[in-house]
Coordinates of all heavy atoms in Angstrom, one line a residue:
M1 N 4.4 -4.7 -1.2 CA 5.4 -5.1 -0.2 C 6.1 -3.8 0.1 O 6.3 -2.8 -0.6 CB 6.4 -6.0 -0.7 CG 7.4 -5.5 -1.8 SD 8.4 -6.8 -2.6 CE 7.3 -7.3 -3.9
I2 N 6.7 -3.8 1.4 CA 7.4 -2.7 1.9 C 9.0 -3.0 1.7 O 9.3 -4.1 2.1 CB 7.2 -2.4 3.5 CG1 5.7 -2.2 3.6 CG2 8.0 -1.2 4.0 CD1 5.0 -1.1 3.0
K3 N 9.7 -2.1 1.2 CA 11.1 -2.3 0.9 C 11.7 -1.0 1.5 O 11.1 0.0 1.9 CB 11.5 -2.4 -0.5 CG 11.0 -3.6 -1.1 CD 11.6 -3.7 -2.6 CE 11.2 -5.0 -3.3 NZ 11.5 -5.1 -4.7
V4 N 13.1 -1.1 1.6 CA 13.9 0.1 2.1 C 14.9 0.4 1.1 O 15.6 -0.5 0.6 CB 14.6 -0.2 3.5 CG1 15.5 0.9 3.9 CG2 13.5 -0.4 4.6
M5 N 15.0 1.6 0.7 CA 16.0 2.2 -0.2 C 17.0 3.0 0.5 O 16.7 3.8 1.4 CB 15.3 3.0 -1.2 CG 16.3 3.6 -2.2 SD 15.6 4.5 -3.6 CE 14.5 5.7 -2.8
Y6 N 18.2 2.7 0.3 CA 19.3 3.4 1.0 C 19.6 4.5 0.2 O 20.0 4.5 -1.1 CB 20.5 2.4 1.2 CG 20.2 1.4 2.1 CD1 19.8 0.1 1.6 CD2 20.2 1.6 3.6 CE1 19.4 -1.0 2.6 CE2 19.7 0.6 4.4 CZ 19.4 -0.7 3.9 OH 19.0 -1.7 4.7
K7 N 19.6 5.8 0.7 CA 19.7 7.1 0.0 C 20.5 7.9 0.9 O 20.2 8.2 2.0 CB 18.3 7.6 -0.3 CG 18.4 8.7 -1.2 CD 17.0 9.2 -1.6 CE 17.0 10.3 -2.6 NZ 15.7 10.7 -3.0
G8 N 21.8 8.3 0.5 CA 22.7 9.0 1.5 C 22.9 8.1 2.6 O 23.3 7.1 2.4
H9 N 22.8 8.7 3.8 CA 23.0 7.8 5.0 C 21.8 7.4 5.6 O 21.6 7.0 6.6 CB 23.8 8.7 5.9 CG 25.2 9.0 5.4 ND1 26.2 8.0 5.3 CD2 25.7 10.1 5.0 CE1 27.3 8.6 4.8 NE2 27.0 9.9 4.6
R10 N 20.6 7.5 4.9 CA 19.3 7.1 5.3 C 18.9 5.8 4.6 O 19.1 5.5 3.6 CB 18.3 8.2 5.0 CG 18.5 9.5 5.7 CD 17.5 10.5 5.4 NE 17.7 11.7 6.2 CZ 16.9 12.7 5.9 NH1 16.0 12.8 5.0 NH2 17.2 13.9 6.6
S11 N 17.9 5.2 5.4 CA 17.2 4.0 4.9 C 15.7 4.5 4.7 O 15.1 4.8 5.8 CB 17.2 2.6 5.8 OG 17.0 3.1 7.0
V12 N 15.1 4.6 3.6 CA 14.0 5.1 3.2 C 13.0 4.1 2.9 O 13.2 3.5 1.9 CB 14.1 6.2 2.1 CG1 12.6 6.8 1.8 CG2 15.2 7.3 2.4
P13 N 11.9 4.0 3.7 CA 10.8 3.0 3.4 C 10.0 3.4 2.2 O 9.8 4.6 2.0 CB 10.0 2.8 4.6 CG 10.3 4.1 5.4 CD 11.5 4.7 5.0
M14 N 9.6 2.4 1.4 CA 8.9 2.7 0.2 C 7.9 1.4 -0.1 O 8.2 0.4 0.3 CB 9.8 2.7 -0.9 CG 10.8 1.7 -1.2 SD 12.2 2.0 -2.2 CE 11.7 1.9 -3.8
V15 N 6.7 1.7 -0.7 CA 5.9 0.8 -1.1 C 6.2 0.4 -2.5 O 6.2 1.1 -3.3 CB 4.3 1.2 -1.0 CG1 3.4 0.1 -1.4 CG2 4.1 1.7 0.5
C16 N 6.4 -1.1 -2.6 CA 6.6 -1.5 -4.0 C 5.5 -2.5 -4.4 O 4.9 -3.1 -3.4 CB 7.9 -2.3 -3.9 SG 9.4 -1.3 -3.7
C17 N 5.4 -2.6 -5.8 CA 4.2 -3.5 -6.3 C 4.6 -4.9 -6.0 O 5.6 -5.4 -6.3 CB 4.1 -3.1 -7.8 SG 2.9 -3.9 -8.5
D18 N 3.6 -5.6 -5.5 CA 3.7 -7.1 -5.2 C 3.7 -7.8 -6.6 O 3.9 -9.0 -6.4 CB 2.6 -7.6 -4.3 CG 2.9 -7.2 -2.8 OD1 4.0 -7.6 -2.4 OD2 2.0 -6.4 -2.2
I19 N 3.3 -7.2 -7.7 CA 3.3 -7.9 -8.8 C 4.5 -7.6 -9.8 O 5.2 -8.6 -10.1 CB 2.1 -7.5 -9.7 CG1 0.8 -7.8 -8.9 CG2 1.9 -8.2 -11.1 CD1 0.6 -9.4 -8.4
C20 N 4.8 -6.4 -10.0 CA 6.0 -6.2 -10.9 C 7.3 -5.7 -10.1 O 8.4 -5.8 -10.6 CB 5.7 -5.0 -11.8 SG 5.6 -3.4 -11.1
G21 N 7.1 -5.5 -8.8 CA 8.2 -5.3 -7.8 C 8.7 -3.8 -7.9 O 9.6 -3.5 -7.2
S22 N 8.3 -2.9 -8.7 CA 8.8 -1.7 -8.8 C 8.1 -0.7 -7.7 O 7.0 -1.0 -7.3 CB 8.8 -1.0 -10.2 OG 7.4 -0.9 -10.6
W23 N 8.7 0.5 -7.5 CA 8.3 1.4 -6.5 C 7.0 2.0 -6.9 O 6.9 2.5 -8.0 CB 9.4 2.4 -6.3 CG 9.1 3.6 -5.2 CD1 8.2 3.5 -4.3 CD2 9.9 4.7 -5.2 NE1 8.3 4.6 -3.6 CE2 9.3 5.5 -4.1 CE3 10.9 5.3 -5.8 CZ2 9.7 6.7 -3.7 CZ3 11.4 6.5 -5.5 CH2 10.9 7.2 -4.4
I24 N 6.0 2.1 -6.0 CA 4.8 2.9 -6.2 C 5.1 4.3 -5.6 O 4.8 4.5 -4.4 CB 3.6 2.1 -5.7 CG1 3.5 0.8 -6.1 CG2 2.2 2.9 -6.0 CD1 2.3 -0.1 -5.4
D25 N 5.5 5.2 -6.5 CA 5.8 6.4 -6.0 C 4.8 7.4 -6.0 O 5.1 8.7 -5.5 CB 7.1 6.9 -6.7 CG 6.8 7.2 -8.1 OD1 5.8 6.8 -8.6 OD2 7.8 7.8 -8.7
D26 N 3.5 7.1 -6.3 CA 2.5 8.0 -6.4 C 1.3 7.2 -5.8 O 0.8 6.3 -6.5 CB 2.1 8.4 -7.8 CG 0.9 9.3 -8.0 OD1 0.3 9.5 -6.9 OD2 0.5 9.7 -9.0
A27 N 0.8 7.6 -4.5 CA -0.3 6.8 -3.9 C -1.5 6.7 -4.7 O -2.3 5.7 -4.7 CB -0.6 7.5 -2.6
D28 N -1.8 7.8 -5.7 CA -2.9 7.8 -6.4 C -2.8 6.8 -7.6 O -3.8 6.5 -8.2 CB -3.3 9.2 -7.0 CG -3.6 10.1 -5.8 OD1 -4.3 9.7 -4.8 OD2 -3.2 11.2 -5.8
A29 N -1.7 6.2 -7.8 CA -1.4 5.3 -8.9 C -1.5 3.8 -8.4 O -1.2 3.0 -9.1 CB -0.1 5.6 -9.6
G30 N -1.8 3.6 -7.1 CA -1.7 2.3 -6.5 C -3.0 1.9 -5.8 O -4.0 2.6 -5.6
A31 N -3.1 0.5 -5.6 CA -4.3 -0.1 -5.1 C -3.9 -1.1 -4.1 O -2.7 -1.7 -4.1 CB -5.1 -0.8 -6.2
A32 N -4.7 -1.5 -3.1 CA -4.5 -2.5 -2.1 C -5.6 -3.5 -2.4 O -6.8 -3.3 -2.2 CB -4.5 -1.9 -0.7
V33 N -5.2 -4.7 -2.9 CA -6.1 -5.7 -3.4 C -6.1 -6.8 -2.3 O -5.0 -7.3 -1.9 CB -5.7 -6.3 -4.7 CG1 -6.7 -7.2 -5.2 CG2 -5.6 -5.1 -5.7
F34 N -7.3 -7.4 -2.0 CA -7.4 -8.4 -1.0 C -8.6 -9.2 -1.2 O -9.5 -8.9 -2.0 CB -7.6 -7.8 0.4 CG -8.6 -6.7 0.6 CD1 -9.9 -7.0 0.8 CD2 -8.3 -5.3 0.2 CE1 -10.9 -6.0 0.7 CE2 -9.3 -4.3 0.2 CZ -10.5 -4.7 0.5
R35 N -8.5 -10.5 -0.6 CA -9.8 -11.3 -0.7 C -11.0 -10.7 0.1 O -10.7 -10.2 1.2 CB -9.4 -12.8 -0.2 CG -8.7 -13.6 -1.1 CD -8.4 -15.0 -0.4 NE -7.3 -15.7 -1.0 CZ -7.6 -16.7 -1.9 NH1 -8.9 -17.0 -2.3 NH2 -6.7 -17.3 -2.5
K36 N -12.2 -10.9 -0.5 CA -13.2 -10.5 0.3 C -13.4 -11.3 1.5 O -13.1 -12.5 1.6 CB -14.5 -10.5 -0.5 CG -14.5 -9.5 -1.7 CD -15.9 -9.6 -2.4 CE -15.9 -8.5 -3.5 NZ -17.1 -8.8 -4.4
S37 N -13.9 -10.6 2.6 CA -14.2 -11.3 3.8 C -15.2 -12.5 3.7 O -16.2 -12.4 2.9 CB -14.7 -10.3 4.9 OG -15.2 -11.0 6.0
V38 N -14.9 -13.5 4.5 CA -15.9 -14.6 4.5 C -16.5 -14.7 5.8 O -17.2 -15.7 6.1 CB -15.2 -16.0 4.1 CG1 -14.8 -16.0 2.7 CG2 -14.0 -16.3 5.1
G39 N -16.3 -13.7 6.6 CA -17.0 -13.8 7.9 C -16.3 -12.7 8.8 O -15.1 -12.3 8.7
E40 N -17.0 -12.5 10.0 CA -16.4 -11.6 11.0 C -15.1 -12.1 11.6 O -15.0 -13.3 11.9 CB -17.4 -11.5 12.2 CG -17.1 -10.5 13.2 CD -17.3 -9.1 12.9 OE1 -18.0 -8.8 11.8 OE2 -16.7 -8.2 13.5
G41 N -14.2 -11.2 11.6 CA -12.7 -11.5 12.2 C -11.9 -12.1 11.1 O -10.8 -12.3 11.4
C42 N -12.5 -12.3 9.9 CA -11.5 -12.8 8.8 C -10.4 -11.9 8.6 O -10.6 -10.7 8.4 CB -12.4 -13.0 7.5 SG -11.4 -13.5 6.1
I43 N -9.2 -12.4 8.4 CA -8.0 -11.6 8.1 C -7.5 -12.0 6.8 O -7.4 -13.2 6.5 CB -6.9 -11.6 9.1 CG1 -7.4 -11.1 10.5 CG2 -5.7 -11.0 8.7 CD1 -6.5 -11.4 11.6
S44 N -7.3 -11.1 5.8 CA -6.9 -11.3 4.5 C -5.5 -10.8 4.1 O -5.1 -9.8 4.7 CB -7.9 -10.8 3.4 OG -9.1 -11.4 3.6
E45 N -4.7 -11.5 3.4 CA -3.5 -11.1 2.8 C -3.8 -9.8 1.8 O -4.8 -9.8 1.3 CB -2.8 -12.2 2.0 CG -1.5 -11.7 1.3 CD -1.0 -12.9 0.4 OE1 -1.5 -14.0 0.4 OE2 0.0 -12.7 -0.2
V46 N -2.9 -8.9 1.8 CA -3.1 -7.7 0.9 C -2.0 -7.6 -0.1 O -0.8 -7.9 0.4 CB -3.2 -6.4 1.8 CG1 -3.3 -5.2 0.8 CG2 -4.3 -6.5 2.7
L47 N -2.3 -7.4 -1.3 CA -1.3 -7.2 -2.4 C -1.3 -5.7 -2.7 O -2.4 -5.1 -3.1 CB -1.5 -8.0 -3.6 CG -1.4 -9.5 -3.4 CD1 -1.7 -10.3 -4.7 CD2 -0.1 -10.0 -2.8
H48 N -0.2 -5.1 -2.7 CA 0.0 -3.6 -3.0 C 0.4 -3.6 -4.5 O 1.4 -4.2 -4.8 CB 0.9 -2.9 -2.0 CG 0.5 -2.9 -0.7 ND1 1.2 -3.7 0.4 CD2 -0.4 -2.2 -0.1 CE1 0.5 -3.5 1.5 NE2 -0.4 -2.6 1.3
T49 N -0.4 -2.9 -5.3 CA -0.1 -3.0 -6.7 C -0.3 -1.6 -7.3 O -0.9 -0.7 -6.9 CB -1.1 -3.9 -7.4 OG1 -2.4 -3.2 -7.4 CG2 -1.2 -5.2 -6.8
H50 N 0.2 -1.4 -8.6 CA 0.0 -0.4 -9.4 C -1.4 -0.6 -10.0 O -1.8 -1.9 -10.0 CB 0.9 -0.3 -10.6 CG 2.3 0.1 -10.3 ND1 3.3 -0.9 -10.2 CD2 2.9 1.2 -10.0 CE1 4.5 -0.3 -10.0 NE2 4.2 0.9 -9.7
K51 N -2.2 0.5 -10.3 CA -3.4 0.3 -10.9 C -3.2 -0.2 -12.3 O -2.2 -0.2 -12.9 CB -4.2 1.6 -11.0 CG -4.7 2.0 -9.6 CD -5.5 3.3 -9.7 CE -6.0 3.8 -8.4 NZ -6.5 5.2 -8.4
G52 N -4.3 -0.8 -12.9 CA -4.1 -1.2 -14.3 C -3.7 -2.8 -14.3 O -4.3 -3.5 -13.5
R53 N -2.8 -3.1 -15.2 CA -2.4 -4.4 -15.4 C -2.0 -5.2 -14.1 O -2.4 -6.3 -13.7 CB -1.2 -4.6 -16.5 CG -0.8 -6.0 -16.7 CD -1.8 -6.8 -17.5 NE -1.5 -8.1 -17.6 CZ -2.3 -9.3 -17.5 NH1 -3.6 -8.9 -17.2 NH2 -1.9 -10.4 -17.5
C54 N -1.1 -4.6 -13.2 CA -0.7 -5.1 -12.0 C -1.9 -5.5 -11.1 O -2.0 -6.4 -10.4 CB 0.3 -4.3 -11.3 SG 1.9 -4.0 -12.2
H55 N -2.9 -4.5 -11.1 CA -4.1 -4.8 -10.3 C -4.9 -6.0 -10.8 O -5.4 -6.9 -10.1 CB -5.0 -3.5 -10.4 CG -6.2 -3.5 -9.5 ND1 -6.8 -2.3 -9.1 CD2 -6.9 -4.6 -9.0 CE1 -7.8 -2.7 -8.4 NE2 -7.9 -4.0 -8.3
V56 N -5.0 -6.1 -12.1 CA -5.8 -7.3 -12.6 C -5.0 -8.6 -12.3 O -5.7 -9.5 -11.9 CB -5.8 -7.0 -14.2 CG1 -6.4 -8.3 -14.8 CG2 -6.7 -5.9 -14.5
V57 N -3.7 -8.6 -12.4 CA -2.9 -9.8 -12.1 C -3.1 -10.1 -10.7 O -3.3 -11.3 -10.2 CB -1.5 -9.6 -12.4 CG1 -0.7 -10.7 -12.0 CG2 -1.3 -9.5 -14.0
A58 N -3.2 -9.1 -9.7 CA -3.3 -9.3 -8.2 C -4.7 -10.0 -8.0 O -4.8 -11.0 -7.2 CB -3.1 -8.0 -7.6
E59 N -5.7 -9.5 -8.7 CA -7.0 -10.1 -8.5 C -7.1 -11.6 -8.9 O -7.7 -12.4 -8.3 CB -8.0 -9.3 -9.3 CG -8.4 -7.9 -8.6 CD -9.5 -7.1 -9.5 OE1 -9.6 -7.3 -10.7 OE2 -10.1 -6.2 -8.8
E60 N -6.5 -11.7 -10.1 CA -6.4 -13.2 -10.6 C -5.7 -14.0 -9.7 O -6.1 -15.1 -9.4 CB -5.6 -13.2 -12.0 CG -6.6 -12.5 -13.1 CD -5.7 -12.4 -14.4 OE1 -4.5 -12.6 -14.4 OE2 -6.2 -11.9 -15.3
R61 N -4.6 -13.6 -9.1 CA -3.7 -14.4 -8.2 C -4.6 -14.7 -6.8 O -4.5 -15.7 -6.1 CB -2.5 -13.5 -7.7 CG -1.4 -14.5 -7.1 CD -0.2 -13.6 -6.9 NE 0.5 -13.6 -8.1 CZ 1.7 -12.8 -8.2 NH1 2.3 -12.3 -7.2 NH2 2.3 -12.8 -9.4
L62 N -5.5 -13.8 -6.4 CA -6.2 -13.9 -5.3 C -7.7 -14.6 -5.5 O -8.6 -14.6 -4.6 CB -6.5 -12.6 -4.5 CG -5.2 -12.0 -3.9 CD1 -5.4 -10.6 -3.4 CD2 -4.4 -12.9 -3.1
G63 N -7.8 -15.1 -6.7 CA -9.1 -15.8 -6.9 C -10.1 -15.2 -7.9 O -11.2 -15.6 -8.1
G64 N -9.7 -14.1 -8.5 CA -10.6 -13.5 -9.4 C -11.4 -12.2 -8.8 O -11.4 -12.1 -7.7
Q65 N -12.0 -11.4 -9.7 CA -12.6 -10.2 -9.4 C -13.7 -10.4 -8.4 O -14.0 -9.6 -7.5 CB -13.0 -9.4 -10.6 CG -13.5 -8.0 -10.4 CD -13.6 -7.3 -11.6 OE1 -14.0 -7.8 -12.6 NE2 -13.3 -6.0 -11.6
V66 N -14.5 -11.5 -8.6 CA -15.7 -11.8 -7.8 C -15.1 -12.0 -6.3 O -15.9 -11.7 -5.4 CB -16.4 -12.9 -8.4 CG1 -17.5 -13.3 -7.3 CG2 -17.0 -12.6 -9.6
K67 N -14.0 -12.6 -6.2 CA -13.6 -13.1 -4.8 C -12.7 -11.9 -4.1 O -12.1 -12.1 -3.0 CB -12.9 -14.3 -4.9 CG -13.7 -15.4 -5.2 CD -13.0 -16.7 -5.1 CE -14.0 -17.9 -5.4 NZ -13.3 -19.1 -5.3
T68 N -12.4 -10.8 -4.8 CA -11.6 -9.8 -4.3 C -12.2 -8.4 -4.1 O -13.1 -8.2 -4.8 CB -10.3 -9.7 -5.1 OG1 -10.7 -9.4 -6.5 CG2 -9.4 -10.9 -5.2
G69 N -11.6 -7.6 -3.3 CA -11.9 -6.2 -3.1 C -10.7 -5.4 -3.2 O -9.7 -6.0 -3.2
W70 N -10.9 -4.0 -3.2 CA -9.7 -3.3 -3.3 C -9.9 -2.0 -2.6 O -11.1 -1.4 -2.6 CB -9.0 -3.2 -4.7 CG -9.9 -2.4 -5.6 CD1 -11.0 -2.9 -6.2 CD2 -9.6 -1.1 -6.1 NE1 -11.5 -1.8 -7.1 CE2 -10.7 -0.8 -7.0 CE3 -8.6 -0.1 -5.8 CZ2 -10.8 0.4 -7.7 CZ3 -8.8 1.1 -6.4 CH2 -9.8 1.3 -7.5
H71 N -8.9 -1.3 -2.2 CA -8.9 0.1 -1.7 C -7.9 0.9 -2.5 O -7.0 0.3 -3.1 CB -8.4 0.3 -0.3 CG -9.2 -0.3 0.8 ND1 -8.7 -0.8 2.0 CD2 -10.5 -0.6 0.9 CE1 -9.7 -1.3 2.7 NE2 -10.7 -1.1 2.1
E72 N -8.2 2.3 -2.7 CA -7.3 3.2 -3.3 C -6.1 3.0 -2.4 O -6.2 2.9 -1.1 CB -7.8 4.5 -3.2 CG -8.9 4.7 -4.3 CD -8.4 4.9 -5.7 OE1 -7.2 5.0 -6.0 OE2 -9.3 4.8 -6.5
L73 N -4.8 3.0 -2.9 CA -3.6 2.9 -2.0 C -3.6 4.1 -1.0 O -3.2 3.9 0.2 CB -2.4 2.9 -3.0 CG -1.1 2.6 -2.1 CD1 -1.1 1.3 -1.3 CD2 0.2 2.8 -3.0
R74 N -4.0 5.3 -1.4 CA -3.9 6.5 -0.5 C -4.8 6.1 0.6 O -4.4 6.4 1.8 CB -4.4 7.6 -1.3 CG -4.4 8.9 -0.4 CD -4.9 10.1 -1.2 NE -3.9 10.5 -2.3 CZ -2.8 11.2 -2.1 NH1 -2.6 11.7 -0.9 NH2 -2.0 11.3 -3.0
Q75 N -6.1 5.7 0.5 CA -6.9 5.5 1.5 C -6.4 4.3 2.4 O -6.5 4.4 3.7 CB -8.3 5.1 1.0 CG -9.3 4.7 2.1 CD -10.6 4.0 1.4 OE1 -10.6 3.5 0.4 NE2 -11.6 4.1 2.2
H76 N -5.9 3.2 1.8 CA -5.4 2.1 2.6 C -4.2 2.5 3.5 O -4.2 2.2 4.6 CB -4.9 1.1 1.5 CG -4.2 -0.2 2.1 ND1 -4.9 -1.2 2.7 CD2 -2.9 -0.4 2.2 CE1 -4.1 -2.0 3.1 NE2 -2.9 -1.6 2.8
L77 N -3.3 3.3 3.0 CA -2.3 3.8 3.9 C -2.7 4.7 5.0 O -2.2 4.6 6.1 CB -1.1 4.5 2.9 CG -0.5 3.5 2.0 CD1 0.4 4.3 1.1 CD2 0.2 2.4 2.7
Q78 N -3.7 5.5 4.7 CA -4.2 6.5 5.7 C -4.9 5.6 6.8 O -4.6 5.9 8.1 CB -5.4 7.5 5.1 CG -4.7 8.5 4.3 CD -5.7 9.3 3.5 OE1 -6.8 8.8 3.2 NE2 -5.3 10.6 3.2
L79 N -5.7 4.6 6.4 CA -6.3 3.8 7.5 C -5.2 3.0 8.2 O -5.3 2.7 9.4 CB -7.2 2.7 6.7 CG -8.4 3.4 6.1 CD1 -9.2 2.4 5.2 CD2 -9.4 3.9 7.3
L80 N -4.1 2.5 7.5 CA -3.0 1.7 8.1 C -2.3 2.6 9.2 O -2.1 2.1 10.3 CB -2.1 1.2 7.2 CG -1.0 0.4 7.5 CD1 -1.4 -0.9 8.1 CD2 0.1 0.2 6.4
V81 N -2.1 3.8 8.8 CA -1.5 4.7 9.8 C -2.4 4.9 10.9 O -2.0 4.8 12.2 CB -1.1 6.1 9.2 CG1 -0.8 7.1 10.2 CG2 0.1 5.8 8.2
F82 N -3.6 5.2 10.7 CA -4.6 5.5 11.8 C -4.7 4.2 12.7 O -4.8 4.3 14.0 CB -5.9 5.8 11.2 CG -7.1 5.9 12.2 CD1 -7.2 7.1 12.9 CD2 -8.0 5.0 12.5 CE1 -8.1 7.4 13.9 CE2 -9.0 5.2 13.4 CZ -9.1 6.3 14.2
N83 N -4.8 3.0 12.1 CA -4.9 1.7 12.8 C -3.7 1.3 13.6 O -3.7 0.4 14.4 CB -5.4 0.7 12.0 CG -6.9 0.8 11.6 OD1 -7.6 1.5 12.3 ND2 -7.3 0.3 10.5
T84 N -2.7 2.0 13.4 CA -1.4 1.7 14.1 C -1.0 2.8 15.2 O 0.0 2.7 15.9 CB -0.1 1.5 13.2 OG1 0.0 2.7 12.4 CG2 -0.3 0.3 12.3
G85 N -2.0 3.6 15.4 CA -2.0 4.5 16.5 C -1.0 5.7 16.3 O -0.6 6.4 17.3
I86 N -0.6 5.9 15.1 CA 0.3 7.1 14.9 C -0.5 8.4 14.9 O -1.4 8.6 14.0 CB 1.1 7.0 13.5 CG1 1.9 5.7 13.5 CG2 2.0 8.2 13.2 CD1 2.5 5.3 12.3
P87 N -0.2 9.4 15.8 CA -1.0 10.6 15.8 C -0.7 11.5 14.5 O 0.5 11.5 14.1 CB -0.5 11.2 17.1 CG 0.8 10.8 17.3 CD 0.9 9.2 16.8
P88 N -1.7 12.3 14.1 CA -1.5 13.2 13.1 C -0.4 14.1 13.3 O 0.2 14.5 12.3 CB -2.8 14.0 13.0 CG -3.8 13.1 13.7 CD -3.1 12.2 14.7
A89 N -0.1 14.5 14.5 CA 1.0 15.4 14.8 C 2.4 14.9 14.4 O 3.1 15.6 13.9 CB 1.0 15.7 16.4
A90 N 2.5 13.5 14.6 CA 3.7 12.8 14.1 C 4.0 13.1 12.6 O 5.0 13.2 12.2 CB 3.7 11.4 14.5
L91 N 2.9 12.9 11.9 CA 3.0 13.0 10.4 C 3.2 14.6 10.0 O 4.0 14.8 9.1 CB 1.7 12.7 9.7 CG 1.3 11.2 9.9 CD1 -0.1 10.9 9.3 CD2 2.4 10.3 9.4
Q92 N 2.7 15.4 10.8 CA 3.0 17.0 10.6 C 4.3 17.2 10.8 O 5.1 18.0 10.1 CB 2.0 17.7 11.4 CG 2.1 19.2 11.1 CD 1.7 19.6 9.7 OE1 0.6 19.2 9.3 NE2 2.7 20.2 8.9
K93 N 5.0 16.5 11.8 CA 6.4 16.8 12.1 C 7.3 16.2 11.0 O 8.3 17.0 10.7 CB 6.7 16.0 13.4 CG 8.1 16.3 14.0 CD 8.3 15.5 15.2 CE 9.7 15.7 15.8 NZ 10.0 15.0 17.0
L94 N 6.9 15.2 10.4 CA 7.5 14.7 9.1 C 7.5 15.7 8.1 O 8.5 16.1 7.4 CB 7.0 13.3 8.6 CG 7.5 12.2 9.4 CD1 6.7 11.1 8.8 CD2 9.0 11.9 9.2
E95 N 6.3 16.3 7.9 CA 6.0 17.2 6.7 C 6.8 18.5 7.0 O 7.5 19.1 6.1 CB 4.6 17.6 6.7 CG 4.2 18.6 5.7 CD 4.2 18.1 4.3 OE1 4.2 16.9 4.1 OE2 4.3 19.0 3.4
D96 N 6.8 18.9 8.3 CA 7.7 20.2 8.6 C 9.1 20.1 8.4 O 9.8 21.0 8.2 CB 7.2 20.5 10.1 CG 5.8 21.0 10.2 OD1 5.2 21.2 9.2 OD2 5.3 21.0 11.5
G97 N 9.5 18.8 8.6 CA 11.0 18.5 8.6 C 11.4 18.1 7.1 O 12.4 17.5 6.9
N98 N 10.5 18.3 6.2 CA 10.7 17.9 4.7 C 10.8 16.4 4.5 O 11.6 16.0 3.7 CB 12.0 18.6 4.2 CG 11.6 20.1 4.1 OD1 10.6 20.5 3.8 ND2 12.7 20.8 4.4
G99 N 10.1 15.7 5.1 CA 9.9 14.2 5.1 C 11.2 13.5 5.7 O 11.7 14.1 6.6
F100 N 11.4 12.4 5.4 CA 12.3 11.5 5.9 C 13.6 11.3 5.0 O 13.4 11.2 3.8 CB 11.8 10.0 6.2 CG 12.6 9.1 6.8 CD1 12.9 9.3 8.1 CD2 13.2 8.1 6.2 CE1 13.8 8.5 8.8 CE2 14.1 7.2 6.7 CZ 14.4 7.4 8.0
Ligands
ZN201 ZN1 3.3 -3.1 -10.7

């Protein structure tokens, strides 16, 4: 899930685990778990989780390992940014400005 943390005078978006609720502050430590497609155009709910126990619980919640797939959180977020039309230059601008 996406949450906002208030820090200073800013509201900073963060990805939190849909199972334990805590912040996933390292994309390499997270996963995006979803039900496998049952056909063209199928849209599935996604659970963002920590790898390990939270990932296993998410798979169980969505019907078990056989019925679910997952992406590395890093890849999932990259695809999400790409699919929302955010140009790479906009990300570079954030990087150049030391983030948000
Ligand atoms: Zn978790």
Side-chain angles (χ1 to χ4, degrees):
M1 74 188 82
I2 306 296
K3 292 182 179 179
V4 174
M5 174 174 55
Y6 296 97
K7 190 173 182 179
H9 296 290
R10 295 179 174 176
S11 51
V12 180
M14 53 198 277
V15 178
C16 294
C17 180
D18 284 304
I19 302 302
C20 73
S22 65
W23 182 16
I24 305 171
D25 62 351
D26 176 359
D28 293 326
V33 184
F34 50 87
R35 283 184 195 261
K36 286 182 180 172
S37 170
V38 292
E40 184 72 18
C42 175
I43 296 174
S44 298
E45 176 184 358
V46 176
L47 297 176
H48 299 108
T49 72
H50 292 101
K51 289 180 180 172
R53 179 73 187 134
C54 295
H55 184 157
V56 171
V57 171
E59 287 179 334
E60 291 169 354
R61 196 175 284 182
L62 294 175
Q65 195 173 30
V66 172
K67 294 184 177 181
T68 56
W70 68 282
H71 292 152
E72 293 283 345
L73 185 59
R74 177 177 299 277
Q75 177 193 24
H76 177 76
L77 294 175
Q78 289 171 330
L79 291 169
L80 184 65
V81 167
F82 179 78
N83 289 336
T84 51
I86 299 171
L91 299 177
Q92 187 61 53
K93 187 175 177 182
L94 280 174
E95 177 74 17
D96 294 344
N98 295 321
F100 182 72

